Amino acid sequence: EVQLQASGGGLVQAGGSLRLSCAASGFGLEDSAIGWFRQAPGKEREAVGCFSNTDGTRYIPDSVKGRFTTSSDNAKNTVYLQMNSLKREDTGVYYCAGLKSIGCASWSQDPNWFNIWGQGTLVTVSS
């Protein structure tokens, strides 16, 4: 069974950091793009990053550029989202999603392109 599992969320003070993990099972990430999305209550799902092992590309939206980065550990079949200088507005449920054999670019801001989704992990940033 193809699955993604996001983890690493929690409660953090504003200005702090968290690293989220997205572990894959049932398929390898070496030829996939993994997108990161978040959803706050009452808001639409928003893209916060993409990492592709297919061609090594990354895409970070302007809204979080300079604070969020993505990386991958193929040995662990895991992609990471490093979040620094967290703000209260970063609060939400964070999801990872996969699409095989493609690089990341501006298209990766649209969650409808991704066809493998994991359960989310809650990030709460307090002031």
Side-chain angles (χ1 to χ4, degrees):
E1 184 180 4
V2 172
Q3 285 187 328
L4 291 171
Q5 179 64 55
S7 62
L11 176 64
V12 62
Q13 286 191 328
S17 298
L18 275 178
R19 189 178 76 161
L20 305 184
S21 300
C22 176
S25 58
F27 74 105
L29 292 180
E30 66 277 0
D31 187 24
S32 299
I34 296 296
W36 286 96
F37 298 86
R38 68 185 178 194
Q39 190 161 22
K43 294 189 176 181
E44 292 187 353
R45 196 163 290 191
E46 175 191 17
V48 293
C50 181
F51 184 93
S52 171
N53 278 308
T54 300
D55 60 5
T57 52
R58 295 177 175 88
Y59 185 83
I60 303 294
D62 289 342
S63 59
V64 296
K65 192 170 290 183
R67 299 191 298 121
F68 290 14
T69 60
T70 61
S71 63
S72 175
D73 185 337
N74 287 347
K76 295 182 178 180
N77 213 28
T78 300
V79 170
Y80 302 99
L81 179 70
Q82 178 67 43
M83 306 186 295
N84 299 325
S85 302
L86 284 163
K87 305 175 182 179
R88 287 193 65 186
E89 51 263 43
D90 294 320
T91 293
V93 178
Y94 283 68
Y95 300 88
C96 59
L99 185 63
K100 300 194 77 175
S101 303
I102 194 165
C104 295
S106 58
W107 68 265
S108 56
Q109 296 179 92
D110 184 349
N112 293 310
W113 284 108
F114 293 87
N115 57 10
I116 306 169
W117 285 85
Q119 291 186 328
T121 185
L122 177 63
V123 172
T124 304
V125 183
S126 64
S127 58

